[in-house]
Amino acid sequence: MRKNYLVLLATLLVLGCESEPPIVGSMSKSSVCSTAGYLIRQELGKNFRTISQKCVVKNTGGDNVEIESGYVSPINPTPFRYTAQGHVRGNNLVLQRIRVHGIDEEYVPFTSLGG
């Protein structure tokens, strides 16, 4: 429950500072990227960096999105690139599955990313 509250709070903060048109639901590309980065940090740990990583968001139909971005681990300065799939309902992004390029051959449930 706390995690959902934090996601909603982060999303509302991002939405309050932008003027981009929505790509899906009420979320713009920037807010989807920011929220996805936040979710990655929550899943992997706060020492992982997602800021300044190139991020591309595609609306794959309806409320579904595909996000391509990256993160940097605390022990490896080379970014790990990932593709995540999820959906947006209003201002809420839910990542369902993810594939880390060069590590995962197939998508795995997002909740298993952290171990």
Side-chain angles (χ1 to χ4, degrees):
M1 183 70 174
R2 180 175 178 230
K3 193 178 214 181
N4 290 339
Y5 175 74
L6 292 174
V7 170
L8 179 61
L9 179 62
T11 302
L12 291 175
L13 288 173
V14 169
L15 289 174
C17 301
E18 66 181 56
S19 60
E20 288 180 64
I23 188 167
V24 63
S26 300
M27 297 183 81
S28 68
K29 289 181 182 182
S30 295
S31 60
V32 169
C33 288
S34 296
T35 304
Y38 172 81
L39 293 172
I40 293 285
R41 289 189 308 276
Q42 290 300 306
E43 187 68 24
L44 293 176
K46 294 178 182 174
N47 292 330
F48 285 78
R49 292 181 302 151
T50 58
I51 306 300
S52 301
Q53 296 297 312
K54 180 181 175 189
C55 181
V56 177
V57 179
K58 299 175 191 170
N59 182 327
T60 57
D63 62 357
N64 297 310
V65 291
E66 182 173 88
I67 304 149
E68 295 180 22
S69 191
Y71 61 85
V72 179
S73 79
I75 59 173
N76 186 355
T78 303
F80 290 97
R81 299 296 297 168
Y82 69 84
T83 302
Q85 296 175 336
H87 63 270
V88 172
R89 295 224 167 61
N91 295 332
N92 191 18
L93 171 66
V94 176
L95 296 182
Q96 297 168 308
R97 53 193 210 147
I98 190 168
R99 181 178 68 83
V100 179
H101 302 226
I103 296 175
D104 300 319
E105 291 184 26
E106 298 181 7
Y107 284 92
V108 297
F110 177 71
T111 55
S112 66
L113 180 64

PDB file of all heavy atoms in Angstrom, residues 28-52:
ATOM      1  N   SER A  28       2.105  12.068 -19.843  1.00  0.00           N
ATOM      2  CA  SER A  28       2.927  12.403 -21.000  1.00  0.00           C
ATOM      3  C   SER A  28       4.112  11.433 -21.073  1.00  0.00           C
ATOM      4  O   SER A  28       4.330  10.632 -20.152  1.00  0.00           O
ATOM      5  CB  SER A  28       3.449  13.831 -20.871  1.00  0.00           C
ATOM      6  OG  SER A  28       4.371  13.911 -19.804  1.00  0.00           O
ATOM      7  N   LYS A  29       4.886  11.551 -22.135  1.00  0.00           N
ATOM      8  CA  LYS A  29       6.094  10.712 -22.246  1.00  0.00           C
ATOM      9  C   LYS A  29       7.038  10.964 -21.074  1.00  0.00           C
ATOM     10  O   LYS A  29       7.578  10.025 -20.495  1.00  0.00           O
ATOM     11  CB  LYS A  29       6.813  10.991 -23.564  1.00  0.00           C
ATOM     12  CG  LYS A  29       6.091  10.479 -24.769  1.00  0.00           C
ATOM     13  CD  LYS A  29       6.871  10.763 -26.040  1.00  0.00           C
ATOM     14  CE  LYS A  29       6.096  10.271 -27.248  1.00  0.00           C
ATOM     15  NZ  LYS A  29       6.830  10.485 -28.498  1.00  0.00           N
ATOM     16  N   SER A  30       7.217  12.231 -20.714  1.00  0.00           N
ATOM     17  CA  SER A  30       8.119  12.559 -19.595  1.00  0.00           C
ATOM     18  C   SER A  30       7.649  11.961 -18.280  1.00  0.00           C
ATOM     19  O   SER A  30       8.452  11.453 -17.506  1.00  0.00           O
ATOM     20  CB  SER A  30       8.252  14.077 -19.432  1.00  0.00           C
ATOM     21  OG  SER A  30       8.880  14.638 -20.541  1.00  0.00           O
ATOM     22  N   SER A  31       6.348  12.037 -18.028  1.00  0.00           N
ATOM     23  CA  SER A  31       5.856  11.500 -16.758  1.00  0.00           C
ATOM     24  C   SER A  31       5.925   9.982 -16.730  1.00  0.00           C
ATOM     25  O   SER A  31       6.213   9.393 -15.686  1.00  0.00           O
ATOM     26  CB  SER A  31       4.442  12.003 -16.449  1.00  0.00           C
ATOM     27  OG  SER A  31       3.529  11.622 -17.431  1.00  0.00           O
ATOM     28  N   VAL A  32       5.711   9.326 -17.874  1.00  0.00           N
ATOM     29  CA  VAL A  32       5.867   7.867 -17.929  1.00  0.00           C
ATOM     30  C   VAL A  32       7.326   7.507 -17.661  1.00  0.00           C
ATOM     31  O   VAL A  32       7.614   6.610 -16.864  1.00  0.00           O
ATOM     32  CB  VAL A  32       5.388   7.302 -19.288  1.00  0.00           C
ATOM     33  CG1 VAL A  32       5.788   5.840 -19.442  1.00  0.00           C
ATOM     34  CG2 VAL A  32       3.881   7.456 -19.437  1.00  0.00           C
ATOM     35  N   CYS A  33       8.259   8.219 -18.289  1.00  0.00           N
ATOM     36  CA  CYS A  33       9.692   7.937 -18.092  1.00  0.00           C
ATOM     37  C   CYS A  33      10.108   8.173 -16.641  1.00  0.00           C
ATOM     38  O   CYS A  33      10.813   7.356 -16.054  1.00  0.00           O
ATOM     39  CB  CYS A  33      10.535   8.794 -19.023  1.00  0.00           C
ATOM     40  SG  CYS A  33      10.449   8.294 -20.753  1.00  0.00           S
ATOM     41  N   SER A  34       9.670   9.282 -16.070  1.00  0.00           N
ATOM     42  CA  SER A  34      10.023   9.588 -14.676  1.00  0.00           C
ATOM     43  C   SER A  34       9.458   8.554 -13.716  1.00  0.00           C
ATOM     44  O   SER A  34      10.143   8.110 -12.794  1.00  0.00           O
ATOM     45  CB  SER A  34       9.495  10.974 -14.289  1.00  0.00           C
ATOM     46  OG  SER A  34      10.113  11.961 -15.055  1.00  0.00           O
ATOM     47  N   THR A  35       8.219   8.177 -13.938  1.00  0.00           N
ATOM     48  CA  THR A  35       7.583   7.196 -13.052  1.00  0.00           C
ATOM     49  C   THR A  35       8.221   5.827 -13.218  1.00  0.00           C
ATOM     50  O   THR A  35       8.447   5.121 -12.232  1.00  0.00           O
ATOM     51  CB  THR A  35       6.071   7.138 -13.310  1.00  0.00           C
ATOM     52  OG1 THR A  35       5.533   8.458 -13.161  1.00  0.00           O
ATOM     53  CG2 THR A  35       5.383   6.201 -12.329  1.00  0.00           C
ATOM     54  N   ALA A  36       8.550   5.434 -14.457  1.00  0.00           N
ATOM     55  CA  ALA A  36       9.225   4.149 -14.682  1.00  0.00           C
ATOM     56  C   ALA A  36      10.577   4.139 -13.965  1.00  0.00           C
ATOM     57  O   ALA A  36      10.944   3.147 -13.323  1.00  0.00           O
ATOM     58  CB  ALA A  36       9.401   3.884 -16.171  1.00  0.00           C
ATOM     59  N   GLY A  37      11.318   5.232 -14.046  1.00  0.00           N
ATOM     60  CA  GLY A  37      12.595   5.329 -13.336  1.00  0.00           C
ATOM     61  C   GLY A  37      12.417   5.196 -11.838  1.00  0.00           C
ATOM     62  O   GLY A  37      13.189   4.519 -11.158  1.00  0.00           O
ATOM     63  N   TYR A  38      11.389   5.834 -11.318  1.00  0.00           N
ATOM     64  CA  TYR A  38      11.091   5.732  -9.894  1.00  0.00           C
ATOM     65  C   TYR A  38      10.787   4.287  -9.498  1.00  0.00           C
ATOM     66  O   TYR A  38      11.293   3.780  -8.494  1.00  0.00           O
ATOM     67  CB  TYR A  38       9.909   6.650  -9.555  1.00  0.00           C
ATOM     68  CG  TYR A  38       9.411   6.482  -8.150  1.00  0.00           C
ATOM     69  CD1 TYR A  38      10.061   7.112  -7.092  1.00  0.00           C
ATOM     70  CD2 TYR A  38       8.315   5.684  -7.866  1.00  0.00           C
ATOM     71  CE1 TYR A  38       9.619   6.947  -5.791  1.00  0.00           C
ATOM     72  CE2 TYR A  38       7.870   5.517  -6.571  1.00  0.00           C
ATOM     73  CZ  TYR A  38       8.523   6.143  -5.547  1.00  0.00           C
ATOM     74  OH  TYR A  38       8.087   5.966  -4.259  1.00  0.00           O
ATOM     75  N   LEU A  39       9.970   3.606 -10.309  1.00  0.00           N
ATOM     76  CA  LEU A  39       9.617   2.208 -10.015  1.00  0.00           C
ATOM     77  C   LEU A  39      10.847   1.302 -10.072  1.00  0.00           C
ATOM     78  O   LEU A  39      10.995   0.395  -9.254  1.00  0.00           O
ATOM     79  CB  LEU A  39       8.538   1.724 -10.982  1.00  0.00           C
ATOM     80  CG  LEU A  39       7.179   2.401 -10.840  1.00  0.00           C
ATOM     81  CD1 LEU A  39       6.260   1.983 -11.986  1.00  0.00           C
ATOM     82  CD2 LEU A  39       6.555   2.095  -9.499  1.00  0.00           C
ATOM     83  N   ILE A  40      11.742   1.557 -11.030  1.00  0.00           N
ATOM     84  CA  ILE A  40      12.989   0.777 -11.128  1.00  0.00           C
ATOM     85  C   ILE A  40      13.812   0.971  -9.854  1.00  0.00           C
ATOM     86  O   ILE A  40      14.306   0.011  -9.262  1.00  0.00           O
ATOM     87  CB  ILE A  40      13.813   1.203 -12.363  1.00  0.00           C
ATOM     88  CG1 ILE A  40      13.093   0.839 -13.662  1.00  0.00           C
ATOM     89  CG2 ILE A  40      15.231   0.632 -12.317  1.00  0.00           C
ATOM     90  CD1 ILE A  40      13.113  -0.612 -14.028  1.00  0.00           C
ATOM     91  N   ARG A  41      13.966   2.221  -9.412  1.00  0.00           N
ATOM     92  CA  ARG A  41      14.745   2.486  -8.187  1.00  0.00           C
ATOM     93  C   ARG A  41      14.101   1.837  -6.971  1.00  0.00           C
ATOM     94  O   ARG A  41      14.799   1.321  -6.095  1.00  0.00           O
ATOM     95  CB  ARG A  41      14.902   3.994  -7.968  1.00  0.00           C
ATOM     96  CG  ARG A  41      15.842   4.644  -8.960  1.00  0.00           C
ATOM     97  CD  ARG A  41      16.163   6.090  -8.608  1.00  0.00           C
ATOM     98  NE  ARG A  41      15.009   6.933  -8.372  1.00  0.00           N
ATOM     99  CZ  ARG A  41      14.300   7.566  -9.313  1.00  0.00           C
ATOM    100  NH1 ARG A  41      14.631   7.412 -10.584  1.00  0.00           N
ATOM    101  NH2 ARG A  41      13.286   8.331  -8.982  1.00  0.00           N
ATOM    102  N   GLN A  42      12.781   1.838  -6.898  1.00  0.00           N
ATOM    103  CA  GLN A  42      12.102   1.203  -5.773  1.00  0.00           C
ATOM    104  C   GLN A  42      12.319  -0.308  -5.784  1.00  0.00           C
ATOM    105  O   GLN A  42      12.455  -0.915  -4.732  1.00  0.00           O
ATOM    106  CB  GLN A  42      10.604   1.515  -5.810  1.00  0.00           C
ATOM    107  CG  GLN A  42      10.282   2.951  -5.498  1.00  0.00           C
ATOM    108  CD  GLN A  42      10.746   3.353  -4.114  1.00  0.00           C
ATOM    109  OE1 GLN A  42      10.413   2.711  -3.132  1.00  0.00           O
ATOM    110  NE2 GLN A  42      11.526   4.409  -4.039  1.00  0.00           N
ATOM    111  N   GLU A  43      12.349  -0.898  -6.965  1.00  0.00           N
ATOM    112  CA  GLU A  43      12.498  -2.354  -7.074  1.00  0.00           C
ATOM    113  C   GLU A  43      13.944  -2.796  -6.837  1.00  0.00           C
ATOM    114  O   GLU A  43      14.194  -3.795  -6.171  1.00  0.00           O
ATOM    115  CB  GLU A  43      12.014  -2.812  -8.457  1.00  0.00           C
ATOM    116  CG  GLU A  43      11.952  -4.299  -8.636  1.00  0.00           C
ATOM    117  CD  GLU A  43      10.884  -4.983  -7.794  1.00  0.00           C
ATOM    118  OE1 GLU A  43       9.885  -4.350  -7.387  1.00  0.00           O
ATOM    119  OE2 GLU A  43      11.048  -6.180  -7.530  1.00  0.00           O
ATOM    120  N   LEU A  44      14.906  -2.041  -7.385  1.00  0.00           N
ATOM    121  CA  LEU A  44      16.313  -2.449  -7.298  1.00  0.00           C
ATOM    122  C   LEU A  44      17.036  -1.866  -6.087  1.00  0.00           C
ATOM    123  O   LEU A  44      17.985  -2.456  -5.601  1.00  0.00           O
ATOM    124  CB  LEU A  44      17.061  -2.034  -8.573  1.00  0.00           C
ATOM    125  CG  LEU A  44      16.649  -2.753  -9.848  1.00  0.00           C
ATOM    126  CD1 LEU A  44      17.394  -2.171 -11.035  1.00  0.00           C
ATOM    127  CD2 LEU A  44      16.911  -4.245  -9.726  1.00  0.00           C
ATOM    128  N   GLY A  45      16.651  -0.701  -5.668  1.00  0.00           N
ATOM    129  CA  GLY A  45      17.320  -0.035  -4.556  1.00  0.00           C
ATOM    130  C   GLY A  45      17.644   1.400  -4.928  1.00  0.00           C
ATOM    131  O   GLY A  45      17.804   1.750  -6.092  1.00  0.00           O
ATOM    132  N   LYS A  46      17.750   2.229  -3.924  1.00  0.00           N
ATOM    133  CA  LYS A  46      17.949   3.661  -4.143  1.00  0.00           C
ATOM    134  C   LYS A  46      19.322   4.001  -4.702  1.00  0.00           C
ATOM    135  O   LYS A  46      19.539   5.106  -5.176  1.00  0.00           O
ATOM    136  CB  LYS A  46      17.687   4.418  -2.846  1.00  0.00           C
ATOM    137  CG  LYS A  46      16.246   4.329  -2.425  1.00  0.00           C
ATOM    138  CD  LYS A  46      15.986   5.034  -1.136  1.00  0.00           C
ATOM    139  CE  LYS A  46      14.519   4.834  -0.777  1.00  0.00           C
ATOM    140  NZ  LYS A  46      14.197   5.357   0.521  1.00  0.00           N
ATOM    141  N   ASN A  47      20.278   3.072  -4.645  1.00  0.00           N
ATOM    142  CA  ASN A  47      21.611   3.327  -5.185  1.00  0.00           C
ATOM    143  C   ASN A  47      21.660   3.205  -6.703  1.00  0.00           C
ATOM    144  O   ASN A  47      22.671   3.533  -7.320  1.00  0.00           O
ATOM    145  CB  ASN A  47      22.634   2.379  -4.567  1.00  0.00           C
ATOM    146  CG  ASN A  47      22.838   2.668  -3.104  1.00  0.00           C
ATOM    147  OD1 ASN A  47      22.699   3.798  -2.653  1.00  0.00           O
ATOM    148  ND2 ASN A  47      23.166   1.642  -2.344  1.00  0.00           N
ATOM    149  N   PHE A  48      20.604   2.709  -7.314  1.00  0.00           N
ATOM    150  CA  PHE A  48      20.544   2.614  -8.767  1.00  0.00           C
ATOM    151  C   PHE A  48      20.102   3.960  -9.323  1.00  0.00           C
ATOM    152  O   PHE A  48      19.213   4.604  -8.775  1.00  0.00           O
ATOM    153  CB  PHE A  48      19.571   1.508  -9.204  1.00  0.00           C
ATOM    154  CG  PHE A  48      20.138   0.139  -9.015  1.00  0.00           C
ATOM    155  CD1 PHE A  48      20.168  -0.443  -7.757  1.00  0.00           C
ATOM    156  CD2 PHE A  48      20.650  -0.568 -10.087  1.00  0.00           C
ATOM    157  CE1 PHE A  48      20.707  -1.710  -7.575  1.00  0.00           C
ATOM    158  CE2 PHE A  48      21.182  -1.825  -9.914  1.00  0.00           C
ATOM    159  CZ  PHE A  48      21.213  -2.403  -8.651  1.00  0.00           C
ATOM    160  N   ARG A  49      20.753   4.397 -10.403  1.00  0.00           N
ATOM    161  CA  ARG A  49      20.437   5.696 -10.993  1.00  0.00           C
ATOM    162  C   ARG A  49      19.669   5.505 -12.297  1.00  0.00           C
ATOM    163  O   ARG A  49      20.051   4.693 -13.133  1.00  0.00           O
ATOM    164  CB  ARG A  49      21.714   6.485 -11.263  1.00  0.00           C
ATOM    165  CG  ARG A  49      22.426   6.904  -9.985  1.00  0.00           C
ATOM    166  CD  ARG A  49      23.650   7.701 -10.286  1.00  0.00           C
ATOM    167  NE  ARG A  49      24.530   6.874 -11.135  1.00  0.00           N
ATOM    168  CZ  ARG A  49      25.387   7.340 -12.029  1.00  0.00           C
ATOM    169  NH1 ARG A  49      25.532   8.607 -12.201  1.00  0.00           N
ATOM    170  NH2 ARG A  49      26.128   6.528 -12.745  1.00  0.00           N
ATOM    171  N   THR A  50      18.611   6.274 -12.449  1.00  0.00           N
ATOM    172  CA  THR A  50      17.819   6.233 -13.679  1.00  0.00           C
ATOM    173  C   THR A  50      17.752   7.601 -14.348  1.00  0.00           C
ATOM    174  O   THR A  50      17.243   7.732 -15.443  1.00  0.00           O
ATOM    175  CB  THR A  50      16.381   5.757 -13.393  1.00  0.00           C
ATOM    176  OG1 THR A  50      15.781   6.637 -12.445  1.00  0.00           O
ATOM    177  CG2 THR A  50      16.373   4.330 -12.854  1.00  0.00           C
ATOM    178  N   ILE A  51      18.274   8.614 -13.686  1.00  0.00           N
ATOM    179  CA  ILE A  51      18.246   9.971 -14.221  1.00  0.00           C
ATOM    180  C   ILE A  51      19.252  10.071 -15.375  1.00  0.00           C
ATOM    181  O   ILE A  51      20.279   9.415 -15.385  1.00  0.00           O
ATOM    182  CB  ILE A  51      18.603  10.995 -13.112  1.00  0.00           C
ATOM    183  CG1 ILE A  51      17.693  10.806 -11.903  1.00  0.00           C
ATOM    184  CG2 ILE A  51      18.547  12.419 -13.628  1.00  0.00           C
ATOM    185  CD1 ILE A  51      16.222  10.979 -12.169  1.00  0.00           C
ATOM    186  N   SER A  52      18.957  10.894 -16.354  1.00  0.00           N
ATOM    187  CA  SER A  52      19.815  11.152 -17.516  1.00  0.00           C
ATOM    188  C   SER A  52      19.968   9.940 -18.428  1.00  0.00           C
ATOM    189  O   SER A  52      20.950   9.828 -19.150  1.00  0.00           O
ATOM    190  CB  SER A  52      21.202  11.652 -17.086  1.00  0.00           C
ATOM    191  OG  SER A  52      21.076  12.830 -16.340  1.00  0.00           O
TER     192      SER A  52
END
